[in-house]
Amino acid sequence: SYTVKRATVSGGPYAAVGCATTTSFTDTTVKNGTTYYYVVAAQYTGGPDAGGSSADSIEASATPQPVLSPPPSVVTATAGNGQVALSWTASAGATSYRVKRATASGGPYTLVASPTSTTYTDTGLTNGSTYYYVVTAVNSVGESGNSPEASATPQATPTAAPTGVTANATKPGSINVRWTQSTTPGVTQNRIYRRTGSGAYVLLTTVSAATSYVDRGLASRTTYCYVITAVSSSGESVQSTGACATAK
């Protein structure tokens, strides 16, 4: 076998740090940035002395250093309304990441964020434009190469229509229309459309975001049907299902 000895100054004194039965040994008890000095002695069992140790070998030295983290191997880009949500695989030893964006595949890329987690949402983007992303890993040594590229095209999310529309003739000449508001965040208006008989729906009025409206001045014994839409930053929704009532 072989006894591996180590010192922190050239020439020793040396202390044994390992015993190997082959001609290699990896010392994992070291600190980055510190220079270590090594000698090796052979251990034997034969010969006139029936065993013992050889003299030390010539000295060798090395200074361990941290290594760059590998780039993330997988990046996922998911489009939203004016934004792209990114996630990527963690890189061993990384302390942060750099998210870079381009408007053409292959770059050039511009740094947009330096998160410490493995997710980031890029906001304020233009719907309909395709964006290309790479991510790098950063540690005390420096920055890795780029990850594989991922791309996404933000799109406006259609405004959801109101649901649960009802119409009730509660007083002579009026109908109370109610609905459940659209599930889309940021609804600013509701548009109420009305028809009589089998005609087309015509815009009756536009109200601030609400869940009810009283239609007045109606002809008695006439049936009125209603549909509602919601308006948000993404535009006007499709029409809801209709509800009808006959005025008193």
Side-chain angles (χ1 to χ4, degrees):
S1 64
Y2 301 89
T3 300
V4 180
K5 306 175 186 179
R6 183 184 72 198
T8 54
V9 294
S10 181
Y14 303 102
V17 292
C19 183
T21 57
T22 63
T23 57
S24 65
F25 174 77
T26 300
D27 188 5
T28 60
T29 61
V30 295
K31 294 181 179 180
N32 290 330
T34 299
T35 300
Y36 296 89
Y37 302 86
Y38 295 88
V39 292
V40 179
Q43 308 299 320
Y44 59 94
T45 57
D49 298 324
S53 177
S54 73
D56 291 339
S57 67
I58 58 174
E59 185 182 74
S61 64
T63 306
Q65 298 290 347
V67 297
L68 280 174
S69 294
S73 58
V74 177
V75 178
T76 301
T78 303
N81 183 10
Q83 65 182 30
V84 172
L86 299 161
S87 63
W88 54 90
T89 52
S91 296
T95 55
S96 65
Y97 300 90
R98 291 178 181 168
V99 179
K100 302 176 182 182
R101 182 184 68 208
T103 54
S105 180
Y109 301 102
T110 300
L111 178 67
V112 294
S114 298
T116 56
S117 65
T118 56
T119 60
Y120 173 73
T121 299
D122 192 15
T123 60
L125 304 178
T126 301
N127 287 330
S129 296
T130 301
Y131 296 88
Y132 302 84
Y133 296 89
V134 293
V135 181
T136 62
V138 179
N139 64 11
S140 60
V141 178
E143 182 180 8
S144 75
N146 291 338
S147 69
E149 184 182 75
S151 64
T153 305
Q155 299 289 348
T157 303
T159 305
T163 57
V165 180
T166 61
N168 294 287
T170 56
K171 295 180 180 180
S174 68
I175 293 177
N176 190 358
V177 184
R178 296 182 179 276
W179 61 91
T180 300
Q181 188 58 275
S182 165
T183 56
T184 299
V187 170
T188 57
Q189 295 178 333
N190 287 110
R191 293 177 182 170
I192 302 166
Y193 295 79
R194 184 183 72 188
R195 77 179 183 188
T196 56
S198 58
Y201 283 104
V202 176
L203 178 63
L204 173 65
T205 188
T206 299
V207 298
S208 297
T211 56
S212 66
Y213 175 76
V214 179
D215 190 13
R216 295 182 172 90
L218 304 177
S220 63
R221 294 188 298 277
T222 300
T223 299
Y224 296 87
C225 297
Y226 301 86
V227 293
I228 316 296
T229 65
V231 179
S232 73
S233 60
S234 297
E236 183 179 10
S237 73
V238 298
Q239 294 178 346
S240 68
T241 55
C244 302
T246 301
K248 294 181 179 181

